[in-house]
Amino acid sequence: MATTVRPRSLAAIDNPAYQAFLTLRVGFVVAPILFGVDKFTNLLADWTTYLAPAIDRLVPGSASSAMLAVGVIEIVAGLIVAVRPKIGGYLVAAWLAGIIGNLLLLGDHYDVALRDFGLLLAALALARLATAFQPTHHAEQL
């Protein structure tokens, strides 16, 4: 039976596994929120070019409106990781699986799909580490 390490203890802070958990948690809060916000501004990329035509035909509205919905989902996913990293880690992993599927349908972006597969593995690692470092009492979550 695995023991639960209290995240606020000094021993946990010095624990490399806890440090990895914090690194992944911060990364999977910040990145989805930033990329989600960018779906509204298109400063980093024209996100509609990453939407496979087959997916675009499935969703109602334009590719631009689909990307706005994607942005909202990404922002929500980042917020869920912030408050419930175990659930959020699995949610982000599932979302990345969908993105990978879209990129494979699109073609020409296999490098991005491979990178996103690495991120999917990291999101799964976050979810597993969150199990070890979750607060042991409800009062500790406040």
Side-chain angles (χ1 to χ4, degrees):
M1 174 184 254
T3 59
T4 301
V5 178
R6 297 174 146 237
R8 291 186 173 88
S9 72
L10 187 56
I13 293 169
D14 290 334
N15 182 337
Y18 184 65
Q19 294 167 358
F21 165 71
L22 284 180
T23 301
L24 290 169
R25 187 175 186 181
V26 168
F28 282 113
V29 168
V30 173
I33 292 172
L34 288 179
F35 284 115
V37 168
D38 195 62
K39 300 299 187 290
F40 292 87
T41 64
N42 288 312
L43 292 175
L44 297 175
D46 176 5
W47 295 103
T48 60
T49 63
Y50 290 97
L51 186 61
I55 303 297
D56 191 20
R57 287 189 296 272
L58 288 175
V59 297
S62 66
S64 181
S65 62
M67 284 297 116
L68 295 177
V70 165
V72 170
I73 292 167
E74 289 173 341
I75 292 166
V76 169
L79 294 173
I80 291 172
V81 170
V83 296
R84 295 282 191 263
K86 180 179 175 183
I87 295 167
Y90 289 122
L91 175 65
V92 169
W95 183 248
L96 285 163
I99 291 171
I100 292 165
N102 171 73
L103 290 169
L104 294 177
L105 284 173
L106 184 60
D108 296 331
H109 294 290
Y110 300 114
D111 56 333
V112 179
L114 182 60
R115 181 211 54 206
D116 285 352
F117 180 71
L119 289 170
L120 183 151
L121 295 176
L124 292 174
L126 169 65
R128 293 301 301 141
L129 286 167
T131 301
F133 296 109
Q134 64 189 353
T136 54
H137 296 16
H138 177 69
E140 289 180 309
Q141 293 177 349
L142 300 178

